[in-house]
Amino acid sequence: MNIHQDKILILDFGSQVTQLIARRVREFNVYCEIHPYDVSNEFIKNFAPKGIILSGGPNSVYDNDTPCAPRIIFDLGVPIFGICYGMQTIAKQLGGDVVSSGDREFGYAEITELSSQLFAGLSDGVNELGHFLKVWMSHGDKVSRLPDGFEVIAKTDSCPIAAMYSKSRNIYAVQFHPEVTHTKHGARMLEHFVLNICHCQQSWTMPNYADEVITKIRRQVGNDTVILALSGGVDSSVAGVLIHKAIGKQLKCIFVDTGLLRLNEAQQVMQNYHDNLDLEIIKIDAKDEFYTALAGISDPEHKRKVIGKLFVDIFQREALKMSNAKWLAQGTIYPDVIESAGSKNSKAHNIKSHHNVGGLPESLNLQLLEPLRELFKDEVRSLGVALGIAPKLIYRHPFPGPGLGVRILGEVKPEFVTLLQKADNIFIEELYSNDLYHRVSQAFVVFLPVKTVGVMGDGRTYDYAVSLRAVETSDFMTANVANLPFEFITKVANRIINEVKGINRVTYDISGKPPATIEWE
């Protein structure tokens, strides 16, 4: 990144929503990075943040070996914003007290006494105490005594110190979570901190990022050859165009037909990349290899790792055929890294493995090039637009790296793939024809390896079931079920049952994220 641009440092204490803080900050066109709470003093000095945010986390400050913020942050003279656990560790480290609140407070709460620049101009209404804001609480501990030099700037009925502020230290801290959408004005609070308190310049834009990364890739790669895994999805497509702009014909693209792609996708991918994006691409037909490797495996983590290992093996094999191949490029993006806890920077618990951030063997004789690793999905799309990629490709719904391998529950069999491809194609066709495709963030069909009794005509059937899945989300870290019209869902179900021989039941998944993930596996 440009070392002169203003930056926010986010210190991660293990919250599952730390990444949402980063997402909100970037919405203000300000660059930020997430790093572990125990990052070195030297790193913090060299990072030279304009402000520091301490995330929430699952620990209690009075536990043994509890995480603490680096003492150096209190001496840098830059604004600090503590969130939930971040507030508690600030209080304890600076001489205040933190106690267990007895009952965990989880859900909406109203904070009052909003006398702070952090809350300037924000209100959800007026009660007997003045203006109040509806916020989202999620904590088991709370600050019971302020450190010297701090004042209370917000409270709730059950939490007398819901937010605190020190003018001399320029520290703000809140017991709730402004980064989640449940806190209605949370984004504005973060905006006040980043723009009005830290005075950051809004220089983080995708055209600027593209220019910087292209320069960085040229410097990294030199005259070496780069091999890129092209999947047909948004991430690898944007990565391909970005790298191609940097090094041209030094980029060699490999498209692996795993047999786990959507209906007719292999042919479409080759045409798009070759004809529309002018990329040099080699197609590898590996369907039989993947089906053989996955035979008898039903555990989702095992499937992901088998698919990931085979991907790496294929690239190693193909790399031997290319002279001067020194780099393996991937379309890894930030949510992949976060959900895998695959980054050394992550303090969060592992949710699931992603084949492009885990399972890379030490014997891999290629260096990794991941130009999108720090970007969220919508940032990748914005970058694609800045690079001139066709909107139809950029705004396709996300597709998992392991493909239909994680949309078929249990063992992957070729006949299951065929059924799922046909059912999924009907769902997507209908979304397009009813002008619903771009109104949802992601939609697909999941194959359920169970047979149910049905009736077609005068005969009894005993066939498989599938589930439709459609969600709405802004960042893919949290998601709500898409409220598709009932008439539309029944039309899709009728088409699938009538046109896909072997499926006689269709369900609709109404789970949000959390507690579910978007993919079933």
Side-chain angles (χ1 to χ4, degrees):
M1 296 305 99
N2 185 337
I3 60 173
H4 300 296
Q5 74 180 358
D6 292 343
K7 296 174 287 188
I8 296 293
L9 174 61
I10 301 168
L11 295 180
D12 180 19
F13 286 90
S15 169
Q16 291 289 349
V17 292
T18 298
Q19 64 276 9
L20 291 183
I21 305 172
R23 188 63 206 94
R24 301 292 175 254
V25 172
R26 292 188 187 183
E27 287 172 356
F28 316 137
N29 299 118
V30 174
Y31 185 69
C32 64
E33 290 183 10
I34 298 173
H35 290 278
Y37 67 85
D38 53 0
V39 69
S40 70
N41 289 347
E42 182 181 8
F43 175 86
I44 295 173
K45 288 180 182 178
N46 291 336
F47 190 86
K50 287 277 284 187
I52 298 172
I53 299 176
L54 309 185
S55 83
N59 298 90
S60 294
V61 296
Y62 44 76
D63 285 347
N64 293 330
D65 300 320
T66 189
C68 294
R71 297 293 306 188
I72 189 175
I73 70 170
F74 301 116
D75 301 323
L76 292 178
V78 300
I80 297 172
F81 187 15
I83 296 173
C84 202
Y85 182 88
M87 172 178 174
Q88 295 160 16
T89 195
I90 289 172
K92 184 173 184 293
Q93 289 182 242
L94 296 182
D97 289 331
V98 178
V99 298
S100 172
S101 56
D103 295 323
R104 181 175 176 85
E105 187 174 14
F106 182 84
Y108 282 110
E110 292 184 1
I111 61 171
T112 55
E113 291 191 10
L114 313 178
S115 56
S116 168
Q117 188 177 4
L118 194 66
F119 308 125
L122 307 181
S123 176
D124 281 321
V126 179
N127 58 23
E128 63 277 9
L129 298 176
H131 287 277
F132 68 86
L133 288 170
K134 292 182 178 180
V135 301
W136 188 259
M137 293 281 194
S138 179
H139 66 95
D141 302 335
K142 59 187 178 183
V143 177
S144 59
R145 184 175 63 85
L146 292 171
D148 290 343
F150 280 79
E151 62 181 290
V152 177
I153 56 174
K155 65 180 181 179
T156 71
D157 290 340
S158 61
C159 188
I161 307 176
M164 64 184 190
Y165 166 61
S166 170
K167 182 177 180 180
S168 61
R169 292 179 176 271
N170 208 5
I171 295 176
Y172 296 79
V174 298
Q175 187 58 72
F176 54 88
H177 286 271
E179 70 272 31
V180 301
T181 55
H182 303 76
T183 299
K184 182 179 177 181
H185 296 290
R188 290 288 307 280
M189 297 174 198
L190 286 164
E191 183 179 19
H192 284 329
F193 177 75
V194 171
L195 301 185
N196 303 329
I197 296 170
C198 297
H199 304 293
C200 289
Q201 296 297 311
Q202 296 174 276
S203 57
W204 168 248
T205 65
M206 286 304 104
N208 289 345
Y209 178 81
D211 291 341
E212 292 173 8
V213 173
I214 287 171
T215 300
K216 181 180 178 181
I217 291 170
R218 286 174 181 155
R219 185 170 61 248
Q220 275 186 288
V221 171
N223 296 320
D224 296 340
T225 294
V226 176
I227 304 173
L228 170 66
L230 282 175
S231 67
V234 175
D235 304 334
S236 64
S237 299
V238 172
V241 173
L242 185 65
I243 297 169
H244 185 260
K245 284 185 179 292
I247 61 173
K249 295 300 182 181
Q250 290 170 241
L251 174 64
K252 310 297 182 185
C253 300
I254 296 176
F255 170 62
V256 179
D257 183 359
T258 63
L260 303 173
L261 302 173
R262 290 166 285 206
L263 188 67
N264 300 322
E265 188 165 23
Q267 300 92 314
Q268 293 167 4
V269 165
M270 290 298 294
Q271 183 176 0
N272 283 336
Y273 287 141
H274 185 270
D275 296 349
N276 301 329
L277 300 180
D278 192 33
L279 298 179
E280 186 175 330
I281 182 169
I282 300 169
K283 179 184 176 184
I284 307 298
D285 188 345
K287 292 191 291 291
D288 291 341
E289 287 185 77
F290 278 88
Y291 290 154
T292 299
L294 290 168
I297 297 174
S298 59
D299 178 75
E301 278 293 282
H302 194 183
K303 285 195 293 185
R304 285 177 175 271
K305 289 175 180 176
V306 166
I307 293 170
K309 182 179 185 304
L310 186 52
F311 249 91
V312 172
D313 290 346
I314 289 171
F315 278 107
Q316 284 184 299
R317 185 175 70 201
E318 294 304 316
L320 294 175
K321 303 175 185 178
M322 298 181 181
S323 61
N324 206 29
K326 300 288 180 64
W327 299 83
L328 171 63
Q330 295 187 143
T332 308
I333 67 172
Y334 210 14
D336 298 340
V337 177
I338 294 165
E339 287 203 340
S340 296
S343 166
K344 67 180 181 180
N345 292 343
S346 177
K347 294 294 181 182
H349 295 166
N350 183 41
I351 303 298
K352 63 178 74 168
S353 296
H354 287 260
H355 79 276
N356 52 349
V357 292
L360 294 174
E362 292 183 5
S363 61
L364 182 66
N365 295 318
L366 299 172
Q367 300 178 72
L368 275 180
L369 183 64
E370 297 175 314
L372 311 180
R373 189 179 178 88
E374 300 300 327
L375 300 185
F376 290 91
K377 177 66 72 172
D378 56 331
E379 291 177 317
V380 173
R381 288 195 167 103
S382 296
L383 177 58
V385 171
L387 293 170
I389 302 176
K392 185 175 182 180
L393 180 56
I394 289 301
Y395 291 102
R396 287 183 72 188
H397 291 175
F399 191 63
L404 301 182
V406 292
R407 292 181 179 174
I408 296 171
L409 302 193
E411 184 179 2
V412 175
K413 298 180 180 180
E415 59 268 30
F416 293 173
V417 173
T418 300
L419 291 174
L420 179 54
Q421 286 175 329
K422 292 178 179 179
D424 187 76
N425 188 61
I426 289 171
F427 189 21
I428 300 305
E429 276 184 355
E430 289 295 333
L431 285 167
Y432 271 116
S433 63
N434 287 273
D435 194 29
L436 292 169
Y437 184 83
H438 294 297
R439 299 185 189 182
V440 300
S441 305
Q442 190 171 1
F444 54 91
V445 176
V446 178
F447 182 83
L448 311 179
V450 293
K451 287 189 172 184
T452 69
V453 174
V455 177
M456 296 190 73
D458 294 323
R460 174 186 183 274
T461 62
Y462 191 56
D463 290 323
Y464 291 103
V466 296
S467 176
L468 309 181
R469 178 74 159 143
V471 298
E472 296 174 346
T473 177
S474 60
D475 48 37
F476 288 88
M477 307 314 299
T478 60
N480 295 317
V481 61
N483 188 19
L484 296 175
F486 182 72
E487 295 79 6
F488 170 80
I489 295 173
T490 55
K491 181 181 180 182
V492 172
N494 287 335
R495 276 199 62 190
I496 290 174
I497 291 169
N498 286 319
E499 297 176 29
V500 185
K501 184 175 175 58
I503 296 175
N504 70 354
R505 190 176 299 273
V506 176
T507 66
Y508 187 55
D509 181 358
I510 61 170
S511 310
K513 176 186 179 180
T517 54
I518 294 177
E519 300 289 344
W520 279 39
E521 289 193 341

